[in-house]
C-alpha cells in the first residue's frame, strides 16, 4: 500500500484490547506488513510524560476539562510524532485507544460540552482520523473482574476505580458511536473466546486492506 492504515481499538476496561492488538500485529507482520503498535494516553515521549499524570489521578482534582485538555495535548504529540509519520511511510498503525475514548470518558461521563470536545478533537488529531475503529464490547462487570485479575496487587488506575454505573454508561456511549459511524466502527463481542474475537478482528482488517488495495489499483 502506498499510504498506510490507522486502526484504533476501543472499549471498556478489561475488554482485551492489548491481547488482540498483539495477535493482530503478529499476524500482519507475518504477512510482510510494517506494523507500529502504540497506545493512548502515551505512544510518544511527550505523551508518555502526560500518561502518568492522567492515570495516577493527579489531574482529577482540576476537573474533567483539565483532563480533556491534557489528553488532547498528549494526542497531538502522539499523532505528529508517531502516527502520521508511520502512516505516510505505508505502515499499519494499531493504537490501544484514540479519540473515541476521550469522547466517552471525558465527554459523556465527564459531562463536558460537545462543542468543547469537538474543538479539542480538531486541534489534537489535525485530520488524522482512524481508518477503522474496533470496539471490543464487554459487560462492564466482567471487564472490571478481568482488569482486577490482570493487575493483581497493583492499585486500580484513575478510570478503573470508578463505579460500575459509570462503566455501564461508557459501554453505551461506545455503542452509540458505532451506531452513528458504521463506516468506521466495527463492534466485536469481546465475551467470546480469544480465538473467536481475533477471527472477527482479522476479517474486519482484511476487508479494509483489500478495499485499500483495490482503490489504489484503480487509480
Amino acid at each position: 500500500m502506498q499510504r498506510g492504515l490507522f486502526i484504533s481499538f476501543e472499549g471498556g476496561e478489561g475488554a482485551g484490547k492489548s491481547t488482540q492488538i498483539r495477535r493482530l500485529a503478529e499476524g500482519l507482520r507475518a504477512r510482510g506488513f510494517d506494523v507500529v503498535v502504540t497506545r493512548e494516553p502515551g505512544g510518544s515521549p511527550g505523551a508518555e510524560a502526560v500518561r502518568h499524570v492522567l492515570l495516577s489521578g493527579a489531574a482529577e482534582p482540576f476537573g474533567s476539562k483539565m483532563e480533556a485538555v491534557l489528553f488532547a495535548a498528549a494526542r497531538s504529540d502522539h499523532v505528529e510524532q508517531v502516527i502520521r509519520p508511520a502512516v505516510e511511510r505505508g505502515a499499519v498503525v494499531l493504537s490501544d485507544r484514540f479519540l473515541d475514548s476521550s469522547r466517552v470518558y471525558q465527554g459523556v461521563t465527564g459531562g463536558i460540552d460537545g462543542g468543547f470536545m469537538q474543538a479539542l478533537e480538531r486541534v489534537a488529531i489535525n485530520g488524522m482520523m482512524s481508518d477503522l475503529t474496533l470496539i471490543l464490547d464487554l459487560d462492564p462487570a466482567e471487564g472490571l473482574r478481568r482488569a482486577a485479575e490482570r493487575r493483581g496487587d497493583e492499585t486500580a488506575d484513575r478510570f478503573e476505580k470508578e463505579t460500575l454505573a459509570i462503566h455501564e454508561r461508557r459501554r453505551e456511549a461506545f455503542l452509540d458511536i458505532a451506531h452513528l459511524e458504521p463506516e468506521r466502527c466495527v463492534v466485536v463481542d469481546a465475551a467470546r473466546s480469544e480465538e473467536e474475537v481475533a477471527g472477527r478482528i482479522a476479517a474486519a482488517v482484511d476487508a479494509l486492506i483489500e478495499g485499500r488495495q483495490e482503490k489504489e489499483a484503480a487509480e
Side-chain angles (χ1 to χ4, degrees):
M1 296 180 294
Q2 297 171 7
R3 180 185 180 278
L5 294 170
F6 175 27
I7 301 170
S8 58
F9 283 68
E10 298 283 5
E13 311 301 329
K17 296 183 299 299
S18 298
T19 297
Q20 293 301 331
I21 287 172
R22 174 182 53 77
R23 291 186 62 130
L24 178 59
E26 290 172 353
L28 290 172
R29 285 171 179 146
R31 293 164 59 184
F33 287 96
D34 175 8
V35 180
V36 173
V37 173
T38 189
R39 68 178 182 178
E40 288 204 351
S44 63
E48 287 291 335
V50 180
R51 179 182 177 88
H52 174 71
V53 175
L54 287 164
L55 297 189
S56 69
E60 186 177 2
F62 299 97
S64 295
K65 278 195 173 183
M66 176 60 77
E67 287 185 319
V69 170
L70 288 171
F71 270 109
R75 180 163 298 128
S76 176
D77 192 71
H78 186 209
V79 165
E80 301 307 335
Q81 299 301 319
V82 177
I83 298 172
R84 194 185 308 279
V87 170
E88 288 180 350
R89 75 167 187 260
V92 178
V93 176
L94 309 179
S95 183
D96 185 342
R97 298 196 182 281
F98 194 56
L99 63 83
D100 292 306
S101 282
S102 286
R103 290 174 172 179
V104 170
Y105 282 69
Q106 283 74 56
V108 174
T109 59
I112 298 178
D113 174 72
F116 182 84
M117 291 300 298
Q118 289 168 14
L120 278 182
E121 181 180 299
R122 284 195 299 272
V123 173
I125 69 172
N126 191 23
M128 180 54 67
M129 190 62 167
S130 51
D131 299 291
L132 171 66
T133 296
L134 295 155
I135 297 175
L136 274 60
D137 180 51
L138 183 66
D139 178 83
E142 172 61 13
L144 292 173
R145 185 196 67 77
R146 291 184 185 182
E149 186 177 79
R150 177 192 64 210
R151 69 174 178 268
D153 295 331
E154 294 181 11
T155 304
D157 71 27
R158 156 77 177 86
F159 301 105
E160 289 175 340
K161 71 180 183 180
E162 292 182 310
T163 67
L164 179 59
I166 289 176
H167 288 286
E168 288 172 343
R169 285 182 63 201
R170 288 173 180 157
R171 181 191 191 185
E172 293 171 2
F174 277 122
L175 294 176
D176 286 343
I177 289 171
H179 177 72
L180 291 170
E181 300 186 49
E183 71 289 347
R184 174 175 67 90
C185 301
V186 172
V187 177
V188 179
D189 182 358
R192 295 184 178 275
S193 71
E194 184 180 314
E195 290 291 334
E196 289 177 302
V197 173
R200 178 73 178 93
I201 288 171
V205 173
D206 284 347
L208 176 66
I209 291 171
E210 289 168 8
R212 173 62 62 78
Q213 290 173 336
E214 289 174 1
K215 180 180 178 181
E216 290 183 353
E219 290 176 349

